[in-house]
Amino acid sequence: MTRTSSAPAVTRASSALLRAPVAALLAVLLAASGVLLGAGGAQAAGYRYWSFWEGDGKSWAYATQGPSLVRPDDGTVQGFRFAVSEDSADADRPRHAPDFGAICADTPAKGGAKRVALVIDPGTAEDAPTGEKPAALRTACAQVAPDASSAEALASVAKPLRYDSSAMICAISGYPKTGCGEQVSGDGSKKDGSGKDGSTKPSAPEASSAPAADDGGSGGGPSAGLLLGIGAVLLLGVAAVFQARRRR
């Protein structure tokens, strides 16, 4: 009778001892997942810069080359937008239709020159650097030499321009006064409802302008998924030991 009654007691004690580490491990995993996922959200950030766009008469597409490389044809429409965004897929488009006829209506064609319609959008106060105020959006019709680049067309109507060493546009018409593609805190989400454009990220370093997007935001450490996966394996292992001992 003594042996029969003591066995269940030992089993219950062993089960209790095993359940405690299982519960503790599960709690640690849940806490770790919250911290890791929360850290990922906190690390999201955007970049403040002038993006470069090409219009087709109806919509805008993010340029795949920088303005110093592009040689636009006569009748081309191009746009520049200052805003905060994470990458080219998240960038704000110019808030004006790419309408060559309307923009260059008062600039007649001239032999030995081409016309390039430009939309220059300094963006919103929310995206402006501290202490600065964006000017109003404006359009211009640049009349330049047939072989002029987009950068030269822009310079003819929107001086002063400022570039960095990689040929990225830092300022148009002197705005902003300082800074160039700097990272800013926040998630780079839309602020003016202009929506997203699906164009691909520029392939050339100077291509307009967007800084390269983060390749994972992990900072070199293990990802949340990897850590949670390891934890799940450990949890299954403890559970297997628990089940094996219950069958004894």
Side-chain angles (χ1 to χ4, degrees), residues 94-109:
R95 297 168 296 168
H96 190 287
D99 189 338
F100 176 84
I103 297 172
C104 289
D106 298 328
T107 306

Side-chain angles (χ1 to χ4, degrees), residues 52-55 60 70 72 76-80 116-120 150-151 153:
F52 177 41
W53 301 79
E54 296 176 326
W60 293 105
V70 176
T76 296
V77 186
Q78 298 182 325
F80 297 85
V116 179
L118 299 173
V119 175
I120 303 168
S150 298

Side-chain angles (χ1 to χ4, degrees), residues 35-147:
V35 171
L36 289 169
L37 294 176
Q43 290 173 359
Y47 298 87
R48 182 183 287 117
Y49 67 99
W50 280 99
S51 55
F52 177 41
W53 301 79
E54 296 176 326
D56 62 4
K58 295 182 180 180
S59 61
W60 293 105
Y62 201 97
T64 57
Q65 289 185 302
S68 65
L69 295 178
V70 176
R71 306 278 170 179
D73 295 327
D74 180 71
T76 296
V77 186
Q78 298 182 325
F80 297 85
R81 172 70 191 267
F82 188 79
V84 173
S85 61
E86 291 184 38
D87 52 40
S88 60
D90 184 62
D92 287 310
R93 292 167 287 191
R95 297 168 296 168
H96 190 287
D99 189 338
F100 176 84
I103 297 172
C104 289
D106 298 328
T107 306
K110 184 173 67 175
K114 65 181 178 184
R115 293 176 298 168
V116 179
L118 299 173
V119 175
I120 303 168
D121 186 353
T124 67
E126 291 175 302
D127 288 332
T130 302
E132 296 202 51
K133 181 179 179 180
L137 179 152
R138 71 185 183 95
T139 62
C141 187
Q143 198 159 47
V144 292
D147 63 346

